[in-house]
Amino acid sequence: GGRVTAPPTRALLFSLFLSLATSSLFSWQLPSSLVYREGNTIHRFHILGEGGGYRIHLESEGSGSKVSQIYTTDALLRTLRWELDSPGEGTRILCERVGDSLRLKGLYKGEKIEKEMEIDSRSWNQLFHLGLMPFVLSGERETVFWSVGINGPGAMKAGKVKATKRSREKILSLGESVQTLRVEMSLTGLLSLFWKGDYWYSLSDGLFLRYGKRSGKEGSGAMELIERR
């Protein structure tokens, strides 16, 4: 009596169903293009699905300077690799996650830099404007992730950032009244005294709409969405 095995087609169909179910579960409806204004600076995000994750190119232009950043993320928008190119400041760096550490190398303000920063198993979320979409749409109240500072005392150092859901608020975005979730971002521990920020995300799709002052008036945010495609 030979064993009866399931026909391979059934196993194949099941694995196909599983991959489809998980991919739809973890795909965020990211537009292909997003534009934000921050003072005199315009930030343009170009988003491409790539290798099961995303490749997000951010071009920031204003006051005569141009900065380019490329973020490679997984399907959950967690950063795997980050490139920063700021010719006006003499900065060109590449940072990659390897296990539970971040390897950073290149030029920072004209000085050669190469370092390895120990982190832990938590997410590295260098682009948390967009990278927090999964958190916003989840049932979690708070999350802690790693990010590398670009300016000030924390520049080129990995630090932990805490995001806490605070309140549901209606704001004006692109001329429409939108139901949002206000998320408070802060550095962890004693460093929380130095920086806290409010970020507003659309409740329907988790999209980042505004950063800055708590005011319902359009144009009052320090950084806000002005175009999506």
Side-chain angles (χ1 to χ4, degrees), residues 10 28 32-33 48 55 65 75 80 85 94 105 113 120 122 125 129 134 153 190 200 206 214 220:
R10 192 185 295 169
W28 317 102
S32 58
S33 162
L48 262 167
R55 186 175 189 271
S65 74
L80 305 171
D85 189 11
L94 165 66
K105 63 180 181 185
I113 185 171
D120 54 27
R122 282 182 248 250
N125 207 327
H129 301 82
L190 288 171
W200 283 263
R214 289 193 65 195
S220 64

Side-chain angles (χ1 to χ4, degrees), residues 23-225:
S23 67
S24 64
L25 201 64
F26 298 129
S27 65
W28 317 102
Q29 292 307 303
L30 275 170
S32 58
S33 162
L34 291 163
V35 185
Y36 295 85
R37 181 188 283 117
E38 183 178 15
N40 297 323
T41 302
I42 297 292
H43 301 285
R44 287 188 173 83
F45 291 90
H46 306 281
I47 299 144
L48 262 167
E50 184 181 272
Y54 295 95
R55 186 175 189 271
I56 300 170
H57 186 193
L58 167 58
E59 290 176 296
S60 306
E61 213 169 336
S63 308
S65 74
K66 195 170 182 178
V67 179
S68 167
Q69 297 181 74
I70 296 170
Y71 307 84
T72 306
T73 78
D74 66 9
L76 288 170
L77 296 170
R78 296 175 293 208
T79 313
L80 305 171
R81 177 187 165 106
W82 167 51
E83 296 163 70
L84 166 67
D85 189 11
S86 178
E89 287 192 321
T91 295
R92 185 166 200 170
I93 59 152
L94 165 66
C95 188
E96 289 185 278
R97 180 166 193 149
V98 181
D100 283 349
S101 68
L102 298 179
R103 286 184 191 163
L104 186 146
K105 63 180 181 185
L107 283 177
Y108 179 65
K109 296 191 174 172
E111 302 278 317
K112 194 175 175 200
I113 185 171
E114 187 161 350
K115 64 198 286 195
E116 188 158 331
M117 299 172 280
E118 292 299 317
I119 54 170
D120 54 27
S121 60
R122 282 182 248 250
S123 303
W124 170 31
N125 207 327
Q126 193 61 30
L127 180 64
F128 51 81
H129 301 82
L130 299 183
L132 282 185
M133 283 175 86
F135 164 68
V136 170
L137 297 171
S138 77
E140 290 176 82
R141 194 182 156 263
E142 65 175 51
T143 186
V144 175
F145 57 88
W146 290 92
S147 195
V148 178
I150 298 180
N151 302 306
M156 300 297 112
K157 294 176 189 161
K160 280 191 279 196
V161 179
K162 183 164 86 168
T164 310
K165 290 176 182 173
R166 288 297 183 203
S167 55
R168 290 183 174 209
E169 297 176 10
K170 268 195 174 164
I171 68 165
L172 271 175
S173 179
L174 301 181
E176 288 181 24
S177 178
V178 183
Q179 191 72 37
T180 67
L181 189 64
R182 178 173 65 91
V183 175
E184 183 186 84
M185 237 63 94
S186 66
L187 298 171
T188 59
L190 288 171
L191 293 171
S192 64
L193 299 169
F194 297 101
W195 179 74
K196 266 192 181 129
D198 283 314
Y199 290 71
W200 283 263
Y201 295 86
S202 164
L203 261 180
S204 62
D205 59 9
L207 191 65
F208 167 63
L209 302 178
R210 176 184 297 173
Y211 159 71
K213 298 195 296 279
R214 289 193 65 195
S215 166
K217 285 210 283 283
E218 191 156 14
S220 64
M223 176 175 177
E224 65 185 276
L225 180 67

